Amino acid sequence: MSIVTDLLAKPGVIAAGEYAYRGDRFSHRGALSEDHARVASIMCRATTMSVNMEASMLEALQPLSGLLPPRGWLVHGPGYTVCVVANVFCLLDNSKGSINDLVGFMRQALPAVPADMI
Amino acid sequence: MTTLDDLMKLPGAMAAFEFRGSGEVLEQRIAYPDRINESTLDLLAHMCAANLSIATMQARGWEKVTGMEGFYPIQEFTLIGFDWSVVVSGLQREHYKQAGKFSLPPFMGVVLANESADYEAAFGILERKEPVP
């Protein structure tokens, strides 16, 4: 099974997808239209690129600070949480799933990305 | 007992801080200065201020484009690093805005070691509704 299929089987996950770091393709499953999944993948990729830039800057200030390479990020809203680890994203219904469990699963399933991929 | 002190009681808490929307640190607690020092925390707070702003813009745009609700206002932004994560929130400010206040409290954040990070517990403290004076 793919990571996206695994994620969709988790409680509360309503949609999940992957994007290419170079930005030329994406795939998704779940409760998003093709257009909305495209918007989601673009926003997720942009934020992933941004946090990688930030981590590199912090690393230059304090080597081995523990931030680099960043594994992912979360945006927690009142109803939904966007969870991103590596180049995989998913949308979680807060009332139906556990963020701790989801992050733990994604961190374990997705290895740290080599810096030359970004 | 302040919210910063409560955040420092979380499992794996390495630092907690208050910061302005422009990124300057206003108050801080640091448990392991060899890992997270004042200089690191200053840059981290500036990064977090920027990330909260971008995420807020994206949530607003996403809700308008898709018609989905439940993303805005952002409650927390979390950056998951290799060894540690930083969780930041400006939700207390929303409570002040709803009460008609123009002077808003600072943003708050906590740095947690990934091995023991309890993100939901951090969200619980950061979302705690403090009385608006």
Side-chain angles (χ1 to χ4, degrees):
Chain A
M1 283 208 300
S2 72
I3 178 75
V4 170
T5 304
D6 289 342
L7 285 169
L8 274 175
K10 298 284 178 195
V13 174
I14 63 164
E18 291 181 70
Y19 51 87
Y21 286 108
R22 58 180 179 265
D24 59 347
R25 56 178 196 272
F26 71 98
S27 61
H28 72 100
R29 289 187 60 195
L32 287 179
S33 69
E34 186 77 2
D35 282 348
H36 292 169
R38 182 185 303 278
V39 173
S41 69
I42 290 169
M43 291 196 303
C44 290
R45 177 177 171 271
T47 301
T48 295
M49 293 301 172
S50 183
V51 299
N52 272 275
M53 172 272 292
E54 293 165 8
S56 296
M57 193 177 290
L58 196 76
E59 185 73 8
L61 173 71
Q62 189 192 354
L64 304 176
S65 70
L67 183 58
L68 192 74
R71 302 296 314 278
W73 50 272
L74 312 170
V75 172
H76 185 231
Y80 295 95
T81 299
V82 181
C83 302
V84 177
V85 173
N87 62 332
V88 174
F89 66 91
C90 67
L91 267 55
L92 176 75
D93 182 335
N94 294 341
S95 65
K96 294 179 180 167
S98 162
I99 293 165
N100 285 344
D101 290 349
L102 193 58
V103 172
F105 171 75
M106 293 177 80
R107 279 186 58 218
Q108 191 170 26
L110 295 160
V113 180
D116 58 0
M117 289 288 291
I118 309 293
Chain B
M1 187 64 69
T2 67
T3 301
L4 286 187
D5 295 320
D6 288 340
L7 289 169
M8 288 302 287
K9 290 179 183 168
L10 286 167
M14 299 169 70
F17 55 108
E18 292 181 352
F19 59 106
R20 290 197 175 105
S22 48
E24 295 97 335
V25 173
L26 296 170
E27 196 173 342
Q28 63 199 20
R29 308 276 190 277
I30 296 174
Y32 304 104
D34 54 326
R35 300 297 310 277
I36 305 283
N37 58 34
E38 288 188 20
S39 180
T40 309
L41 207 56
D42 171 74
L43 182 55
L44 191 61
H46 281 78
M47 288 162 40
C48 290
N51 289 333
L52 268 172
S53 291
I54 296 283
T56 297
M57 174 275 293
Q58 290 180 332
R60 190 68 156 182
W62 174 257
E63 288 199 347
K64 298 287 183 192
V65 167
T66 64
M68 295 176 72
E69 294 184 345
F71 296 87
Y72 182 93
I74 297 297
Q75 309 213 96
E76 287 87 17
F77 181 92
T78 303
L79 171 53
I80 306 168
F82 191 73
D83 290 331
W84 47 260
S85 300
V86 58
V87 185
V88 291
S89 177
L91 192 61
Q92 290 301 328
R93 300 164 66 86
E94 295 300 322
H95 300 151
Y96 275 61
K97 288 180 200 170
Q98 287 162 13
K101 300 285 184 182
F102 290 100
S103 179
L104 304 178
F107 294 84
M108 308 202 76
V110 61
V111 179
L112 301 169
N114 284 347
E115 287 304 310
S116 48
D118 183 342
Y119 301 105
E120 289 162 16
F123 295 169
I125 293 174
L126 291 166
E127 291 170 19
R128 201 166 55 191
K129 199 164 184 175
E130 306 289 351
V132 178

